[in-house]
């Protein structure tokens, strides 16, 4: 372009003013067309670049979503594990508490003289053995089997001691003796 202008300038010395104006006009048109071409190329290339950026942005968004979903899954797994551990510990503690409670109730019942199921079973077996021995010896049992079990249960329970009842206080009479 510079060469063309230099060439025109050398011709301009020899050429009249009309030719110079024509050369400047042609040069301006050339520059305008070059600018328009550059703008068109930027629009075309810009559109391609924009589309590429959009595709890359979508890929990054998908990658971010996957990473977020992975973290959510990981945290859910950890929270489930922690909840399971806490539940297990609570159940263990509850079982221990239940055992302690049962032991204390059993001790309290024992202090009160209430026989346990095992005590009753042992007594029932003993009564059955004694009944069998009595039958071998030729005697008749005093009561039938169900009655013997009831008798064994009754015998297992010691009689509760009653404290002597307090006598009610004597009523005071309304008038005092003088």
């Amino acid at each position: 372009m510079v060469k063309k202008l230099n060439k025109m300038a050398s011709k301009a010395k020899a050429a009249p003013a009309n030719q110079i104006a024509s050369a400047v006009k042609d040069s301006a048109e050339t520059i305008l067309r070059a600018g328009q071409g550059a703008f068109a190329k930027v629009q075309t290339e810009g559109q391609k670049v924009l589309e590429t950026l959009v595709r890359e942005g979508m890929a990054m968004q998908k990658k971010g979503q996957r990473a977020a979903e992975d973290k959510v899954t990981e945290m859910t797994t950890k929270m489930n594990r922690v909840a399971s551990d806490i539940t297990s510990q609570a159940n263990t503690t509850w079982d221990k508490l239940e055992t302690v409670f049962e032991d204390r109730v059993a001790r309290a019942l024992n202090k009160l003289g209430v026989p346990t199921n095992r005590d009753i079973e042992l007594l029932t077996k003993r009564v059955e053995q004694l009944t069998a021995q009595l039958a071998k010896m030729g005697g008749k049992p005093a009561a039938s089997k169900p009655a013997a079990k009831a008798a064994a249960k009754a015998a297992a329970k010691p009689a509760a001691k009653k404290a002597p009842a307090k006598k009610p206080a004597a009523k005071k009479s309304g008038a005092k003796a003088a």
Side-chain angles (χ1 to χ4, degrees):
M1 179 102 147
V2 174
K3 289 181 182 179
K4 190 174 182 181
L5 286 176
N6 286 337
K7 202 183 222 184
M8 283 191 216
S10 64
K11 286 183 184 179
K13 291 179 185 175
N18 278 347
Q19 287 179 344
I20 293 175
S22 176
V24 170
K25 182 180 174 189
D26 288 341
S27 179
E29 285 178 1
T30 304
I31 292 172
L32 178 65
R33 286 188 191 118
Q36 288 174 339
F39 181 72
K41 189 169 187 172
V42 166
Q43 277 185 325
T44 304
E45 295 293 321
Q47 186 66 28
K48 289 179 184 176
V49 169
L50 180 64
E51 289 173 1
T52 302
L53 290 174
V54 168
R55 279 193 305 271
E56 288 176 3
M58 289 175 72
M60 290 298 290
Q61 181 182 6
K62 288 179 183 177
K63 185 177 179 182
Q65 281 179 329
R66 272 187 256 122
E69 288 171 356
D70 290 345
K71 285 294 181 184
V72 167
T73 302
E74 180 182 335
M75 291 306 294
T76 302
T77 303
K78 284 182 181 179
M79 292 305 292
N80 286 339
R81 195 174 323 129
V82 167
S84 176
D85 291 346
I86 289 172
T87 302
S88 176
Q89 288 175 351
N91 287 339
T92 302
T93 302
W94 187 255
D95 289 344
K96 287 179 183 178
L97 180 64
E98 186 177 1
T99 303
V100 167
F101 179 75
E102 287 174 353
D103 289 344
R104 287 185 180 177
V105 168
R107 274 190 269 141
L109 290 175
N110 192 21
K111 284 182 182 179
L112 292 173
V114 176
T116 63
N117 283 342
R118 180 168 163 68
D119 293 339
I120 293 172
E121 288 173 5
L122 290 173
L123 287 173
T124 304
K125 286 180 183 178
R126 182 66 180 145
V127 168
E128 289 173 358
Q129 288 173 352
L130 291 173
T131 304
Q133 284 179 355
L134 184 63
K136 283 182 184 179
M137 293 166 64
K140 261 188 166 177
S144 65
K145 225 176 193 184
K149 285 185 180 181
K153 286 182 182 179
K157 294 183 182 180
K161 295 181 181 178
K162 292 185 179 180
K166 290 186 180 179
K167 294 183 180 179
K171 292 185 179 179
K172 294 182 181 179
S173 62
K176 291 184 180 180

